[in-house]
């Protein structure tokens, strides 16, 4: 009986080898037969393939087949600010806003330098649009300015990232060439409606400040840049904004930006008492024919502050309402 079992087992083993039921026999056959069909072998044997990830990534980057985000190199991207479409290569002007919930004025477009790689091709697959809301807000009394960015709209593909560089610039004369004071950056990962980021940026003394927003929206196959610039704000070292021009309704005399931001503080300012105020009041009422002028409602303001060399000459004096006068005195309290 044992001999019969051994003979049957030997026959079964020989038959199995002939039919190719064992992978080892195929491997041996493969080594010895150069004409064997490799595709047939791989389809019959369940092996773990070795994948060249670099080749796969390269294929994805150069493929025109839409990925899971629906993007291709021909997809068009647009930006919106307050519902207005801003194309790459344009600049918008951002004005001060108390917080990120407030709409901003950004209707004036102007050319700005952006990299040549930012060119956008005509739409072939669809349009991806993101609405952004830049924010610029001086923090009066803190010597800092808050710059931020909020997402107000996302259409089509959702970006992977929105990055922003806040570039703080300063000039010492109105219309002068601004110099870069500092750079700070932040980003919003997988931005959605209502996503935001903001930074407090330190000022460097009194000056004409502006912030350039260098925005880059990262899609799986594209990085789309946008450059926007804030309006220029004259700020004291304590981030108090210049109140702006003022025109006296009686005399027509005007207060404009300071002639200089480098006035030295004097150790001996001129006296300013009722004795000095009375001559100006009499001169003003006579010169502008307002004999019943109510001086209780106004303060007399030194256009060039007496602390910085201003005199009591009539040309340097102007009546202001008390609330308006506080704005100018707050600015000059942080002048130096």
């Amino acid at each position: 009986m044992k001999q019969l079992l051994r003979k049957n087992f030997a026959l079964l083993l020989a038959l199995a080898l002939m039919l190719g039921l064992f992978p080892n026999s195929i491997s041996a056959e493969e080594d010895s037969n150069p004409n064997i069909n490799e595709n047939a072998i791989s389809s019959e044997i369940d092996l773990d393939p070795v994948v060249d990830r670099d080749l796969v990534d390269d294929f994805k980057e150069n493929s025109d087949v839409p990925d899971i985000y629906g993007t291709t190199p021909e997809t068009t991207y647009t930006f919106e600010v307050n519902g207005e479409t801003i194309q790459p290569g344009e600049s918008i002007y951002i004005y001060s806003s108390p917080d990120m919930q407030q709409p901003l004025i950004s209707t004036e477009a102007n050319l700005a330098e952006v990299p040549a790689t930012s060119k956008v091709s005509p739409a072939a697959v669809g349009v991806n649009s993101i609405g952004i809301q830049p924010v610029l807000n001086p923090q009066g009394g803190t010597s800092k300015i808050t710059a931020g960015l909020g997402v107000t709209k996302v259409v089509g593909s959702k970006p992977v990232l929105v990055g922003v560089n806040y570039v703080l610039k300063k000039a010492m004369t109105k219309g002068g060439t601004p110099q870069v004071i500092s750079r700070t950056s932040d980003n919003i990962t997988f931005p959605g409606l209502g996503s935001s980021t903001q930074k407090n940026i330190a000022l460097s003394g009194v000056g004409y400040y502006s912030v350039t927003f260098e925005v880059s929206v990262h899609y799986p196959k594209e990085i789309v840049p946008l450059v926007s610039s804030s309006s220029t704000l004259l700020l004291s070292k304590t981030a108090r904004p210049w109140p702006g021009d003022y025109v006296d309704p009686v005399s027509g005399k005007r207060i404009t930006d300071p002639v200089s931001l480098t006035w030295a503080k004097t150790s001996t300012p001129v006296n300013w008492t009722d004795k000095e105020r009375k001559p100006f009041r009499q001169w003003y009422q006579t010169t502008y024919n307002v004999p019943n002028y109510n001086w209780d409602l106004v303060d007399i303001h030194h256009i060039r502050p007496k602390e910085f060399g201003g005199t009591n000459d009539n040309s340097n004096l102007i009546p202001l309402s008390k609330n308006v006068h506080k704005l100018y005195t707050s600015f000059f309290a942080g002048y130096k």
Side-chain angles (χ1 to χ4, degrees):
M1 176 64 89
K2 289 182 179 179
Q3 290 179 351
L4 180 62
L5 288 175
R6 287 194 188 99
K7 183 181 291 187
N8 290 337
F9 179 77
L11 289 172
L12 288 172
L13 179 59
L15 180 61
L17 291 173
M18 290 176 63
L19 294 176
L21 297 179
F22 290 94
N24 288 340
S25 67
I26 296 176
S27 298
E29 188 76 10
E30 177 187 357
D31 292 337
S32 61
N33 185 358
N35 297 319
I36 197 164
N37 188 331
E38 294 181 359
N39 292 330
I41 295 173
S42 63
S43 65
E44 293 177 21
I45 304 173
D46 186 16
L47 299 176
D48 291 328
V50 178
V51 181
D52 188 337
R53 296 298 179 188
D54 291 334
L55 290 176
V56 172
D57 293 339
D58 183 67
F59 171 79
K60 288 181 178 180
E61 291 177 2
N62 294 283
S63 173
D64 289 337
V65 179
D67 56 20
I68 60 172
Y69 293 89
T71 61
T72 75
E74 292 80 25
T75 302
T76 294
Y77 303 91
T78 62
F79 294 96
E80 287 189 9
V81 179
N82 295 344
E84 181 178 350
T85 300
I86 307 296
Q87 299 297 335
E90 291 183 329
S91 179
I92 55 176
Y93 290 86
I94 313 303
Y95 294 82
S96 174
S97 175
D99 55 63
M100 300 196 75
Q101 305 303 317
Q102 295 290 331
L104 300 179
I105 303 171
S106 58
T107 57
E108 185 178 355
N110 189 24
L111 291 179
E113 293 295 329
V114 295
T117 54
S118 68
K119 292 180 180 178
V120 179
S121 303
V125 175
V127 176
N128 302 303
S129 179
I130 183 168
I132 57 174
Q133 179 178 302
V135 173
L136 182 64
N137 185 26
Q139 300 292 332
T142 67
S143 301
K144 295 180 180 179
I145 188 170
T146 298
L149 191 73
V151 177
T152 60
K153 180 180 180 182
V154 177
V155 176
S157 297
K158 188 175 182 179
V160 177
L161 180 79
V162 173
V164 57
N165 291 323
Y166 304 110
V167 184
L168 182 68
K169 299 178 181 179
K170 173 185 171 183
M172 290 303 292
T173 58
K174 188 174 185 178
T177 302
Q179 304 296 319
V180 174
I181 300 299
S182 65
R183 289 176 176 268
T184 185
S185 61
D186 207 349
N187 57 64
I188 306 172
T189 305
F190 296 108
L193 183 64
S195 301
S196 63
T197 181
Q198 61 182 29
K199 290 281 190 178
N200 289 325
I201 307 171
L203 301 180
S204 177
V206 64
Y208 290 88
Y209 285 95
S210 63
V211 174
T212 295
F213 296 77
E214 298 175 345
V215 182
S216 59
V217 182
H218 295 242
Y219 289 94
K221 294 183 179 180
E222 302 275 357
I223 298 178
V224 187
L226 174 68
V227 177
S228 61
S229 302
S230 75
S231 59
T232 298
L233 302 175
L234 174 55
L235 301 174
S236 70
K237 68 177 184 179
T238 55
R240 299 288 185 188
W242 175 250
D245 290 1
Y246 175 83
V247 179
D248 178 21
V250 175
S251 66
K253 184 181 292 186
R254 180 184 296 270
I255 302 177
T256 59
D257 295 12
V259 175
S260 171
L261 299 184
T262 59
W263 286 331
K265 195 164 188 177
T266 179
S267 58
T268 56
V270 296
N271 292 327
W272 186 246
T273 65
D274 284 340
K275 180 180 178 181
E276 286 76 32
R277 293 187 186 95
K278 186 175 181 179
F280 173 75
R281 290 172 179 171
Q282 292 175 341
W283 172 86
Y284 187 90
Q285 291 178 214
T286 301
T287 302
Y288 301 109
N289 194 25
V290 283
N292 298 318
Y293 193 87
N294 190 347
W295 293 100
D296 292 336
L297 300 178
V298 300
D299 291 333
I300 300 174
H301 172 65
H302 288 73
I303 296 174
R304 177 171 178 170
K306 55 190 179 66
E307 291 84 356
F308 299 103
T311 68
N312 293 334
D313 292 344
N314 294 335
S315 60
N316 193 48
L317 302 175
I318 187 173
L320 298 176
S321 70
K322 295 181 183 297
N323 288 336
V324 172
H325 190 218
K326 287 180 181 178
L327 298 177
Y328 286 97
T329 55
S330 294
F331 174 84
F332 280 110
Y335 178 85
K336 290 292 184 181

